[in-house]
Amino acid sequence: MERSIETIWKKGFLDSDKLVAPKLNDLYNQKSITIIEKLKRMMKVNVYIILIFAFLNLGLYTALGTPFAGLFILLLLIGVCWRSIKQDKTMKKVDTSLNSYEYLKAFDSWLKLAISNNAKVMRFFYPLLFLAALMPIVHTLKDGAVTNKAIQDSGFQLIYGIPTFAWVIALMIAILMYVFGGKIYRWDVNIVYGRIFKKIEMMLADMEELRS
Amino acid sequence: MSSDFYQSSILPYAAIVIKICRAYTNTQEDFEDYYQEVCLQIWKSRDNFRGQSEWSTWVYRLSLNVCLTLLRKKKNNRQYFASDSLPETLLEDSQVFTDESLNQLYGAIKQLSEIDRGVILLYLEERSYKQIADIIGTNPNNIGVRIKRIKERLKNLLDGKVN
């Protein structure tokens, strides 16, 4: 006689040993691996993006008549990438044989130290990048017949064909960038990796609660 | 997660959680991952339970939601991998239960849409239409018709009329 699905269901589970709940262990094992792998992938992609941008920028700056500024920015960005690759090597030293909690904790400590060290370096990077980025504007103002004449006739004191006050403003912005470089970097990093950092923090908080 | 919480608030409902997780997974490995994730989410979301429904209803709803989320995540990830590159361990495990009819029924249930799977599991677990509607988040009036349709489809699948 044909059995209804209700009967199959009830009878099938009467003596089924498959309803024994699996043991709960390593709740976060896979998750911590996944999240760290994702962060590593993002960091790698970020390095490629910076490199591509640096070379495109060199082309653009050459076209704008300031190849040296473009080259300078290229070198600055290569420096950033080199630093990132170097840090990637130290990241690999984080002991993967640890349990998920300790691994995540070790990774989090490494990440915080890396960000703190980078923030110190970036205090120099941002002002230099800013000043180099101004060069095409300086070049255009100096070389443009109309703009050049306007500047010459303005009566302002000039340095390298540009009013001194403009240099002073640019320098003040660069100094501010130096002062707030660390904060700018943290803000910058947060835009790109903020969601993952938050996830790691949440996971660690959960794991700490689970352990307590 | 405290052992007390697991023993008192999850384990009594483990059977339905297991049945739900089985309906959304094809391998033992996935099943264990889904089960663990459901338990973890129940524990993490325990403070969100306001007592507006029964605890069991809330557990079922959460189990279904977690399974659906994991299934969608998995589908998205799969887009990046060719099926022929999947390791052996991910191959479908179709002989989970000792009862052959139950294996066939599970096979048929897995061919239903994600929501219909949840509906029929709750129906087979003798939840009322109102409870099912509450868990799925739909109108109780539609549940009866929907179940009738799902049962017909299951019958056809079991009779081999539908691929």
Side-chain angles (χ1 to χ4, degrees):
Chain A
M1 196 184 83
E2 199 178 312
R3 290 197 291 168
S4 68
I5 60 164
E6 291 89 341
T7 318
I8 298 173
W9 189 260
K10 267 187 194 156
K11 284 207 163 178
F13 280 116
L14 272 181
D15 53 3
S16 178
D17 57 345
K18 292 290 176 183
L19 282 181
V20 176
K23 239 177 119 183
L24 295 180
N25 54 9
D26 275 351
L27 278 176
Y28 279 98
N29 199 16
Q30 192 51 43
K31 273 189 166 185
S32 46
I33 294 169
T34 312
I35 202 160
I36 290 175
E37 287 308 314
K38 190 176 176 187
L39 187 63
K40 284 179 184 172
R41 262 198 321 271
M42 279 178 80
M43 285 172 161
K44 215 174 201 174
V45 170
N46 207 13
V47 168
Y48 289 133
I49 291 173
I50 292 173
L51 278 176
I52 292 168
F53 169 77
F55 280 101
L56 287 177
N57 188 65
L58 175 63
L60 177 73
Y61 271 49
T62 308
L64 291 170
T66 51
F68 291 112
L71 197 66
F72 181 70
I73 291 175
L74 174 80
L75 290 174
L76 272 180
L77 293 174
I78 283 177
V80 169
C81 293
W82 175 75
R83 200 176 157 75
S84 181
I85 291 165
K86 228 177 108 182
Q87 276 175 341
D88 187 59
K89 281 181 187 160
T90 62
M91 175 167 59
K92 281 176 185 148
K93 286 181 188 159
V94 177
D95 189 358
T96 46
S97 65
L98 299 168
N99 66 40
S100 352
Y101 171 74
E102 283 166 351
Y103 176 54
L104 206 59
K105 192 99 184 143
F107 184 82
D108 188 54
S109 303
W110 170 86
L111 198 62
K112 280 183 178 142
L113 183 71
I115 290 174
S116 157
N117 287 338
N118 284 350
K120 286 175 198 157
V121 176
M122 287 301 174
R123 294 180 76 182
F124 298 94
F125 171 80
Y126 288 121
L128 290 173
L129 184 72
F130 169 71
L131 291 174
L134 286 180
M135 289 309 126
I137 302 171
V138 172
H139 179 75
T140 311
L141 289 175
K142 264 182 67 183
D143 276 18
V146 182
T147 50
N148 191 25
K149 191 171 183 315
I151 290 169
Q152 297 296 336
D153 294 346
S154 65
F156 291 125
Q157 194 189 344
L158 305 178
I159 296 176
Y160 190 60
I162 299 292
T164 310
F165 79 89
W167 285 118
V168 171
I169 291 171
L171 206 65
M172 276 169 66
I173 293 173
I175 290 169
L176 283 174
M177 282 184 156
Y178 171 78
V179 175
F180 295 107
K183 277 191 179 148
I184 297 171
Y185 171 69
R186 282 171 206 277
W187 175 74
D188 189 11
V189 164
N190 234 23
I191 290 175
V192 186
Y193 303 112
R195 276 182 62 194
I196 295 202
F197 291 169
K198 218 170 201 167
K199 264 191 185 171
I200 292 177
E201 265 175 34
M202 275 167 67
M203 269 171 80
L204 272 171
D206 279 348
M207 287 162 108
E208 268 154 19
E209 202 179 337
L210 277 169
R211 285 161 70 91
S212 63
Chain B
M1 186 186 326
S2 75
S3 169
D4 283 354
F5 179 80
Y6 182 69
Q7 295 283 340
S8 64
S9 305
I10 300 180
L11 216 48
Y13 310 99
I16 182 75
V17 175
I18 291 170
K19 288 171 188 171
I20 289 173
C21 292
R22 284 264 179 232
Y24 289 95
T25 56
N26 291 324
T27 65
Q28 181 66 18
E29 200 183 350
D30 278 352
F31 161 70
E32 284 176 14
D33 279 352
Y34 278 46
Y35 181 81
Q36 294 211 358
E37 187 64 26
V38 168
C39 291
L40 186 67
Q41 291 305 327
I42 293 172
W43 175 72
K44 278 174 77 174
S45 317
R46 64 195 186 283
D47 293 338
N48 296 339
F49 176 66
R50 310 224 180 277
Q52 287 164 342
S53 61
E54 282 176 42
W55 172 256
S56 61
T57 307
W58 189 78
V59 169
Y60 299 158
R61 189 191 298 138
L62 210 136
S63 306
L64 278 173
N65 286 343
V66 171
C67 286
L68 290 173
T69 307
L70 290 175
L71 199 68
R72 273 166 207 161
K73 265 190 192 171
K74 201 167 180 188
K75 272 185 188 168
N76 289 340
N77 288 341
R78 260 197 201 149
Q79 288 171 358
Y80 298 103
F81 301 103
S83 58
D84 57 358
S85 69
L86 290 174
E88 286 284 306
T89 51
L90 290 182
L91 292 176
E92 191 166 325
D93 181 2
S94 58
Q95 299 299 315
V96 173
F97 305 103
T98 42
D99 187 315
E100 187 48 36
S101 303
L102 187 60
N103 279 325
Q104 284 174 358
L105 178 58
Y106 249 104
I109 289 173
K110 284 179 189 178
Q111 289 188 53
L112 299 173
S113 75
E114 291 162 10
I115 299 295
D116 283 353
R117 276 185 238 181
V119 173
I120 199 68
L121 284 173
L122 294 168
Y123 164 76
L124 290 170
E125 283 300 304
E126 297 176 337
R127 299 289 113 191
S128 68
Y129 286 4
K130 193 185 169 303
Q131 272 182 310
I132 299 173
D134 190 24
I135 292 166
I136 303 288
T138 181
N139 189 335
N141 300 329
N142 301 334
I143 290 292
V145 183
R146 195 161 183 170
I147 289 173
K148 194 167 175 265
R149 233 183 10 233
I150 298 170
K151 279 172 71 178
E152 269 168 26
R153 182 158 158 72
L154 281 177
K155 196 173 176 309
N156 286 335
L157 284 164
L158 289 169
D159 291 347
K161 287 180 192 164
V162 178
N163 285 325

